[in-house]
Amino acid sequence: MTTTVSDSVGSVGSVGIVSPQTARFEEPLTLACGRELAPYELVYETYGELNAARSNAVLICHALSGHHHAAGYHSDQDRKPGWWDEYIGPGKPIDTARFFVVSLNNLGGCHGSTGPTSINPGTGKPWGPDFPPLRARDWVHSQARLADRLGIDAWAAVIGGSLGGMQAMRWALEYPERVKHCVVIASAMKLSAQNIAFNEIARHAIQSDPDFAGGRYLEHNSLPAQGLGLARMVGHITYLSDDAMAAKFGRDLRSGTLERGGEDDVEFQVQSYLRYQGSQFSGSFDANTYILMTRALDYFDLAREYGDDPVAAFRHAQCRFLVISFSTDWRFSPVRSREIVDALIAAGRPVTYAEIEANEGHDAFLMPIPRYRDLFAAYMQRVGSD
Amino acid sequence: MTTTVSDSVGSVGSVGIVSPQTARFEEPLTLACGRELAPYELVYETYGELNAARSNAVLICHALSGHHHAAGYHSDQDRKPGWWDEYIGPGKPIDTARFFVVSLNNLGGCHGSTGPTSINPGTGKPWGPDFPPLRARDWVHSQARLADRLGIDAWAAVIGGSLGGMQAMRWALEYPERVKHCVVIASAMKLSAQNIAFNEIARHAIQSDPDFAGGRYLEHNSLPAQGLGLARMVGHITYLSDDAMAAKFGRDLRSGTLERGGEDDVEFQVQSYLRYQGSQFSGSFDANTYILMTRALDYFDLAREYGDDPVAAFRHAQCRFLVISFSTDWRFSPVRSREIVDALIAAGRPVTYAEIEANEGHDAFLMPIPRYRDLFAAYMQRVGSD
């Protein structure tokens, strides 16, 4: 009798069913803004086993709208795996047969870690807009405490894409002795004015939605669904390349004819897709978290406290680096990655750089792209062997 | 006694004080959507004098948010001249000492021509969202009637940038015998999916503003100022290059420090600038017109009724072409202009093409850029001499 291995829950390459855990911290965390946060909770998942030497731990840092659920399924009924399941699992680039993978929801998030939707112990109401502003370094410090809790002195690798890549770089500077490898994918040392402008539009869309109620929508039993949906639509366009959108939608109409226009106000396929994406997102993500996360992105500036000199900044790092960019990513373009690489080389840090030809724009970092996957896997083979 | 020539109203190079005129048309115009419009009015300005042979008339077609006031001043108190004053006037590329320049507000506009803010004779209320949808060809047909009214059998040149360039190309196909030269600046034969997506976000922002009231805001004495402001902010980013934004704003803060964040919710200079642009625009432009104009952009497809073959389309043209693009224009990139040029060459039409190095993105077509101005002027010298 043979068993069919299906490509679903528990199949080859999947970490299978996973359960989130929660770590509670009573000791106050002093934030970059000067305020203290206590107590707070971090929700996280782990995949694979920590070895006896505690030397095989890998930290995944998530991007703007990410969370702790990076791989596997939460139940048999789950239709979709975690957001980076293409890259985390047995035999995958972040091989759970070799690594103990830790993936958490960042502080300020809306998927279980303490954030704007949590109760402010000072008022008994949701934090909402009063949640303290966060910087990438705050996440790094809170992640270090989680590492302490898990008995991890040093990460074999800290890995992140986009905003996650910024955290990975910050790790290498804040805790040089605790990071062996730093993997920075589709990221930048700081945002461009254009990037900030797109984030500003997203925030403005949310804040000008009357249902935002100055950020106190939970107290008013409302949700700024239109504003958050719009914010997501703006983000979504900028994560895709023009070519990828052309390939996906072209100029296809949903209904009607090009001569006369559609029957209703949604005419092109791309419009219908964007509205769907926007409305899905606004039902599953917190608006104050979105504002907080985009502000952390805008304010991130790797070299600021190093005299605005990235070379001086990276001289503090002790790890090896893998930097990856994607040819059609115009939100975090290859130019930004090359700036990182140039600074690392000038600082004498070992760095591997790959610019991957990919049609998918910024979203490529989540996609199954053979050359990217092979290169990522080959690099990760080295991690833990050196 | 000497007189100082000031660089203001009436100075060298300016057409001086101009007054808009209105042409009223009683005969119904059959639109691409199948509906008829009657009566309707077009507001326009003219600069320079029509010669005896009536052979020196030039038509200016405006872009998304443009209007008839392209050059000169409406009064001594005017602080700003018309939108294309850099290029229209005595001694300028569109030299009013040689040409009779006609510039109108398109049908469906909100600056005096019949549009959504006009009274619908069938109801006695503003047209609002019931104004018929328009295509570029409708504008061309209405412009042809204005030409008839002014006694212009053929234009020495039809000139436009962006959406205006689309009208100029449509002129060359709809009325081949009435166009001698066609000048197409920073335009395209059709929008990409990404362009349509940005327009969709703009429309969605307007339509989801509660003050939009289904488009009947004038009847409700409201204005969808937030939505229209957001729409403009999105547009504005896409008209500027990343480099231009970096040069203009960098990552400069308006107040506060990068460590701690701003005092209020407007932190970076670019945010403050975008909000100002958005709020200025929403006080001076009609939301239904914006929706109507962006739809005309989205639906424009030069070659659709020519079997989707631009070469077949351009075989109908009889004029000479000047096509100009700008290196950092990512909304209407040089690639789109080269597609026009390739089709024109394949169709055997005479074409001059220039790709101008300019840092200003799509907005470059409005800017005083020496190489662009010189080239444009040199081409216009030929117009009327052949």
Side-chain angles (χ1 to χ4, degrees):
Chain A
M1 193 183 129
T2 57
T3 331
T4 307
V5 177
S6 73
D7 187 21
S8 67
V9 178
S11 70
V12 174
S14 172
V15 299
I17 308 272
V18 294
S19 297
Q21 296 168 262
T22 299
R24 184 176 171 90
F25 300 85
E26 301 290 344
E27 195 194 338
L29 184 71
T30 303
L31 303 171
C33 67
R35 290 165 63 183
E36 290 196 337
L37 187 67
Y40 62 91
E41 294 185 341
L42 295 175
V43 62
Y44 65 99
E45 293 181 1
T46 67
Y47 321 115
E49 301 293 329
L50 187 61
N51 62 15
R54 298 175 179 276
S55 64
N56 69 333
V58 167
L59 176 67
I60 307 298
C61 302
H62 69 71
L64 186 56
S65 58
H67 44 65
H68 54 289
H69 184 41
Y73 300 81
H74 281 162
S75 78
D76 281 337
Q77 280 73 52
D78 255 9
R79 286 168 52 227
K80 279 185 169 182
W83 58 268
W84 221 15
D85 198 73
E86 293 285 354
Y87 289 87
I88 302 171
K92 293 179 179 174
I94 303 169
D95 188 347
T96 51
R98 295 183 58 229
F99 294 114
F100 176 63
V101 180
V102 179
S103 173
L104 80 162
N105 184 213
N106 277 339
L107 211 53
C110 53
H111 291 88
S113 291
T114 300
T117 60
S118 309
I119 298 299
N120 176 353
T123 64
K125 293 177 183 169
W127 277 101
D130 302 328
F131 197 83
L134 297 175
R135 299 290 171 261
R137 70 183 62 240
D138 297 322
W139 291 330
V140 168
H141 296 157
S142 65
Q143 289 157 2
R145 288 195 178 177
L146 181 63
D148 296 341
R149 184 72 58 92
L150 297 172
I152 297 162
D153 290 335
W155 299 103
V158 178
I159 303 175
S162 194
L163 178 57
M166 292 171 165
Q167 295 165 62
M169 288 188 283
R170 187 58 78 200
W171 255 102
L173 303 187
E174 293 284 303
Y175 299 104
E177 72 293 348
R178 299 187 78 172
V179 183
K180 303 291 183 196
H181 290 266
C182 179
V183 179
V184 182
I185 306 171
S187 194
M189 294 190 289
K190 57 186 175 189
L191 293 195
S192 69
Q194 188 189 67
N195 261 327
I196 293 173
F198 278 121
N199 285 339
E200 160 65 2
I201 285 181
R203 287 189 294 266
H204 194 65
I206 292 168
Q207 290 167 335
S208 62
D209 184 330
D211 289 329
F212 182 64
R216 303 197 189 282
Y217 45 89
L218 292 182
E219 295 177 49
H220 291 76
N221 281 317
S222 65
L223 278 179
Q226 289 289 357
L228 188 55
L230 261 169
R232 180 59 167 182
M233 288 164 74
V234 172
H236 209 83
I237 296 186
T238 68
Y239 303 146
L240 291 175
S241 68
D242 196 358
D243 286 351
M245 294 193 88
K248 204 163 177 174
F249 309 107
R251 292 169 46 88
D252 290 347
L253 284 181
R254 202 176 72 92
S255 61
T257 69
L258 278 162
E259 287 300 324
R260 307 232 167 164
E263 305 281 306
D264 54 27
D265 63 346
V266 178
E267 291 147 303
F268 290 92
Q269 292 287 4
V270 66
Q271 297 174 359
S272 149
Y273 171 79
L274 281 176
R275 291 197 185 189
Y276 175 78
Q277 290 290 328
S279 93
Q280 284 291 101
F281 188 73
S282 62
S284 64
F285 206 86
D286 177 61
N288 284 312
T289 290
Y290 201 79
I291 290 172
L292 180 153
M293 295 271 176
T294 57
R295 286 229 173 96
L297 258 176
D298 287 2
Y299 275 88
F300 185 79
D301 186 346
L302 183 93
R304 188 164 55 239
E305 77 258 44
Y306 300 93
D308 287 321
D309 178 2
V311 180
F314 280 130
R315 282 211 189 94
H316 292 262
Q318 297 175 19
C319 60
R320 294 173 177 272
F321 287 80
L322 170 63
V323 178
I324 300 176
S325 69
F326 300 94
S327 56
T328 58
D329 182 352
W330 58 278
R331 187 95 190 236
F332 290 82
S333 78
V335 176
R336 300 282 91 79
S337 283
R338 277 182 238 131
E339 290 167 355
I340 298 171
V341 172
D342 289 347
L344 284 167
I345 291 170
R349 297 315 315 158
V351 54
T352 301
Y353 174 56
E355 188 174 319
I356 305 288
E357 285 290 326
N359 206 24
E360 292 86 349
H362 188 56
D363 270 358
F365 89 85
L366 301 166
M367 305 284 179
I369 297 165
R371 192 159 162 260
Y372 165 40
R373 189 154 54 181
D374 292 349
L375 181 134
F376 196 177
Y379 187 90
M380 292 304 292
Q381 280 294 326
R382 280 166 50 186
V383 172
S385 316
D386 48 9
Chain B
M1 193 183 127
T2 57
T3 332
T4 306
V5 177
S6 73
D7 187 21
S8 65
V9 177
S11 71
V12 174
S14 171
V15 300
I17 308 274
V18 294
S19 297
Q21 298 169 262
T22 300
R24 184 177 171 88
F25 299 84
E26 302 290 343
E27 194 195 339
L29 184 69
T30 302
L31 303 170
C33 68
R35 289 164 63 183
E36 290 197 338
L37 187 67
Y40 63 91
E41 294 185 341
L42 296 176
V43 63
Y44 66 99
E45 293 181 0
T46 66
Y47 321 116
E49 301 293 331
L50 187 61
N51 63 14
R54 299 174 179 274
S55 65
N56 70 332
V58 167
L59 176 68
I60 307 296
C61 301
H62 70 71
L64 187 55
S65 58
H67 45 65
H68 55 289
H69 185 41
Y73 299 82
H74 281 163
S75 79
D76 281 337
Q77 280 73 52
D78 255 9
R79 287 169 51 230
K80 279 185 168 181
W83 57 269
W84 222 15
D85 197 73
E86 293 284 354
Y87 289 86
I88 302 170
K92 293 180 179 175
I94 303 168
D95 189 347
T96 51
R98 294 183 59 228
F99 294 113
F100 175 64
V101 180
V102 179
S103 174
L104 81 161
N105 184 213
N106 278 340
L107 211 54
C110 53
H111 291 88
S113 292
T114 300
T117 60
S118 309
I119 297 300
N120 176 353
T123 65
K125 294 178 184 170
W127 277 101
D130 301 328
F131 198 83
L134 296 175
R135 299 290 172 260
R137 70 183 63 238
D138 297 322
W139 291 329
V140 168
H141 295 158
S142 64
Q143 289 156 1
R145 287 195 180 175
L146 180 63
D148 296 341
R149 184 72 58 91
L150 298 172
I152 298 162
D153 288 336
W155 298 103
V158 178
I159 303 175
S162 195
L163 178 57
M166 292 170 164
Q167 294 165 61
M169 287 187 283
R170 187 59 77 202
W171 256 102
L173 303 188
E174 293 284 303
Y175 299 104
E177 73 293 347
R178 299 187 75 172
V179 184
K180 302 290 183 198
H181 290 266
C182 178
V183 179
V184 182
I185 306 171
S187 193
M189 294 190 288
K190 57 186 175 188
L191 293 194
S192 69
Q194 189 189 66
N195 261 326
I196 293 173
F198 278 122
N199 285 339
E200 159 66 1
I201 285 181
R203 287 189 294 266
H204 194 65
I206 293 168
Q207 290 167 335
S208 61
D209 184 332
D211 289 329
F212 182 64
R216 304 199 188 280
Y217 45 88
L218 293 181
E219 294 177 49
H220 290 77
N221 280 316
S222 64
L223 279 179
Q226 290 289 357
L228 188 55
L230 261 170
R232 181 57 168 184
M233 289 164 73
V234 172
H236 210 82
I237 297 186
T238 67
Y239 303 146
L240 292 174
S241 68
D242 196 358
D243 287 350
M245 294 194 89
K248 205 163 179 174
F249 308 107
R251 292 168 47 86
D252 289 348
L253 284 181
R254 201 175 74 92
S255 63
T257 70
L258 278 163
E259 287 300 324
R260 308 235 166 160
E263 303 282 306
D264 54 27
D265 64 344
V266 178
E267 291 147 304
F268 290 93
Q269 294 286 6
V270 65
Q271 296 173 0
S272 150
Y273 171 79
L274 281 177
R275 289 195 188 190
Y276 175 77
Q277 291 290 329
S279 92
Q280 283 291 100
F281 188 73
S282 61
S284 64
F285 206 87
D286 177 61
N288 283 313
T289 289
Y290 202 80
I291 291 172
L292 179 152
M293 296 272 176
T294 56
R295 287 229 173 95
L297 258 176
D298 288 2
Y299 276 88
F300 185 79
D301 187 347
L302 182 93
R304 189 163 56 240
E305 75 258 44
Y306 301 93
D308 288 322
D309 178 2
V311 180
F314 280 130
R315 282 211 189 95
H316 291 262
Q318 296 175 18
C319 60
R320 293 173 177 272
F321 287 81
L322 171 63
V323 178
I324 300 176
S325 70
F326 300 94
S327 56
T328 59
D329 182 352
W330 58 279
R331 188 98 190 236
F332 289 82
S333 79
V335 175
R336 299 283 91 79
S337 284
R338 278 181 239 131
E339 289 167 354
I340 298 170
V341 173
D342 289 347
L344 283 167
I345 291 170
R349 298 314 316 156
V351 55
T352 301
Y353 174 57
E355 189 174 319
I356 306 288
E357 284 292 324
N359 206 24
E360 292 85 350
H362 188 56
D363 271 358
F365 89 85
L366 300 165
M367 305 284 177
I369 297 166
R371 190 157 165 262
Y372 164 40
R373 188 155 52 183
D374 293 348
L375 181 135
F376 195 177
Y379 187 91
M380 291 304 292
Q381 281 295 327
R382 281 166 49 185
V383 172
S385 316
D386 48 10

